[in-house]
């Protein structure tokens, strides 16, 4: 993708998007980790960095639910689908892929960024989006759709750049540029896996790239309802997004039932309802993904030193 620049040094790779010079964790993020009873980060003399295993689902609030046993079985059944991630570069880059890079992937990236910022990881988790087959130049109908998208994005406090830039096509090289690639539906997921299978023969390389590509909604069941709707200073979501998740589009249960994130038809009579349902499903999945990546940050990571 033309929006990413790569600087390689040995085995380390740093990618930045246009207009982005962020590279370290914020104080708020460090405080949040400490409040999760993590031990203080200690410097290590070893040159290697730990690679985290998939974290355990958060059990907070599960005892207050009458169906806690059944709810816990769902995350456990999906645990094998959650990838290992490496924080060795002290940041992670996440790519959201849909069919045309028009609505769903961009909306997911914007909501992911807002949730990451809220949790103090805005300078450590970088989202972007791409499409399998981006469309051509915008016509009058596309411009009208863009106007509606911009209004919706503004109400969600998503930065305008997510919807004003030209569409970008997914490239196989993006598997090296990004730490994690999230498909917005099963057809995109299958297409991405098919591209990997066609390029790489069976073996370690194919396995490595395959595990990098995940269906976004597999993370929707990572968190308990109590964590997703928590209020106060350590809430996972800002109040506006928490309200939309809990009270909009059929509630939290309806969003957890979504497997393929649909593309809303904003021109249809029920376009507003479709938009509301998509927003709720994406709030759930992106917030849970942020929490998953934050939980995957190793407790024994060396202190970050930009001079090294």
């Amino acid at each position: 993708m033309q929006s990413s620049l790569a600087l390689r040094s040995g085995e380390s790779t740093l990618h930045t998007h246009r207009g982005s010079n962020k590279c370290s964790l914020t104080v708020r993020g460090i405080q949040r980790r400490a409040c999760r009873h993590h031990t203080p980060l200690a410097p290590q003399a070893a040159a290697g960095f730990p690679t985290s295993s998939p974290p355990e689902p958060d059990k907070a609030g599960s005892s207050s639910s009458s169906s806690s046993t059944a709810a816990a079985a769902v995350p456990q059944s999906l645990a094998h689908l959650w990838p290992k991630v490496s924080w060795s570069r002290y940041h992670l880059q996440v790519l959201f892929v849909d069919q045309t890079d028009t609505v769903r992937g961009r909306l997911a990236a914007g909501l992911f960024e807002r949730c990451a910022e809220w949790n103090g990881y805005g300078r450590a988790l970088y989202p972007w989006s791409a499409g399998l087959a981006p469309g051509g130049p915008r016509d009058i109908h596309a411009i009208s759709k863009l106007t509606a998208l911009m209004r919706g994005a503004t109400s969600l406090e998503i930065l305008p750049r997510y919807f004003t830039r030209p569409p970008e096509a997914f490239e196989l090289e993006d598997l090296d540029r990004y730490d994690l690639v999230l498909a917005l539906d099963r057809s995109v997921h299958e297409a991405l896996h098919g591209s990997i299978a066609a390029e790489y023969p069976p073996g370690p390389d194919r396995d490595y790239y395959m595990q990098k590509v995940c269906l976004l909604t597999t993370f929707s069941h990572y968190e308990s309802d109590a964590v997703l709707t928590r209020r106060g200073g350590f809430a996972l979501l800002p109040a506006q997004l928490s309200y939309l998740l809990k009270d909009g589009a059929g509630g939290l249960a309806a969003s957890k039932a979504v497997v393929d994130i649909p593309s809303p038809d904003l021109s249809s009579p029920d376009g507003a309802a479709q938009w509301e349902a998509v927003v709720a499903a994406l709030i759930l999945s992106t917030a849970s993904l942020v929490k998953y990546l934050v939980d995957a940050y190793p407790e024994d990571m060396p202190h970050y030193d930009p001079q090294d």
Side-chain angles (χ1 to χ4, degrees):
M1 292 172 59
Q2 296 179 351
S3 63
S4 298
L5 301 176
L7 301 176
R8 294 186 178 271
S9 176
E11 294 184 356
S12 298
T13 307
L14 173 64
H15 305 285
T16 59
H17 294 304
R18 287 190 292 266
S20 174
N21 60 357
K22 303 179 286 186
C23 63
S24 61
L25 300 179
T26 63
V27 173
R28 185 181 183 191
I30 296 173
Q31 290 174 335
R32 282 177 179 272
R33 290 200 306 276
C35 291
R36 293 201 327 268
H37 307 291
H38 281 193
T39 55
L41 302 181
Q44 293 184 358
F49 295 87
T51 299
S52 59
S53 297
E56 289 295 322
D58 197 317
K59 301 302 188 299
S62 60
S63 60
S64 63
S65 171
S66 60
S67 60
S68 59
T69 302
V74 174
Q76 292 298 333
S77 67
L78 295 173
H80 69 285
L81 299 176
W82 297 329
K84 293 182 179 180
V85 292
S86 172
W87 277 95
S88 60
R89 293 180 294 123
Y90 294 91
H91 74 279
L92 297 173
Q93 293 182 236
V94 179
L95 182 66
F96 296 91
V97 183
D98 60 15
Q99 289 290 347
T100 61
D101 191 26
T102 303
V103 180
R104 296 176 296 164
R106 295 176 184 233
L107 183 57
L111 290 169
F112 178 93
E113 180 179 64
R114 189 174 175 201
C115 186
E117 289 278 4
W118 172 260
N119 285 275
Y121 280 75
R123 297 181 182 274
L125 296 174
Y126 301 122
W128 204 246
S129 68
L132 295 180
R138 293 190 175 106
D139 56 17
I140 187 63
H141 299 291
I143 293 173
S144 176
K145 185 176 184 179
L146 175 63
T147 302
L149 287 172
M150 289 297 296
R151 286 199 300 266
T154 299
S155 69
L156 295 170
E157 299 183 23
I158 293 176
L159 295 177
R161 62 186 171 86
Y162 281 108
F163 289 96
T164 55
R165 63 170 178 79
E168 297 183 18
F170 173 82
E171 300 173 353
L172 208 59
E173 290 80 3
D174 289 330
L175 295 171
D176 289 315
R177 298 178 181 126
Y178 292 88
D179 298 282
L180 202 56
V181 177
L182 285 309
L184 271 291
D185 59 52
R186 282 171 293 185
S187 65
V188 173
H189 185 260
E190 292 170 2
L192 293 173
H193 273 207
S195 298
I196 295 171
E199 180 71 16
Y200 299 97
D205 287 344
R206 177 189 285 189
D207 294 341
Y208 170 72
Y209 291 120
M210 285 286 192
Q211 68 90 32
K212 265 192 172 188
V213 178
C214 305
L215 184 65
L216 175 59
T217 52
T218 59
F219 294 92
S220 298
H221 298 276
Y222 176 70
E223 277 301 349
S224 67
D225 293 0
V227 171
L228 290 166
T229 58
R230 181 185 294 161
R231 298 300 183 100
F234 291 99
L236 179 60
L237 287 163
Q240 178 201 16
L241 299 187
S242 179
Y243 171 79
L244 292 174
L245 174 61
K246 186 170 64 173
D247 298 324
L252 188 55
S255 295
K256 282 197 170 185
V258 174
V259 177
D260 297 327
I261 303 292
S263 183
D265 182 0
L266 302 179
S267 62
S268 69
D270 65 338
Q274 291 185 38
W275 171 263
E276 183 180 277
V278 169
V279 167
L282 286 176
I283 290 173
L284 169 63
S285 56
T286 56
S288 297
L289 175 60
V290 167
K291 183 61 161 55
Y292 175 85
L293 297 177
V294 170
D295 287 349
Y297 191 92
E299 297 181 2
D300 56 349
M301 279 286 283
H303 284 299
Y304 174 75
D305 186 354
Q307 301 302 319
D308 271 353

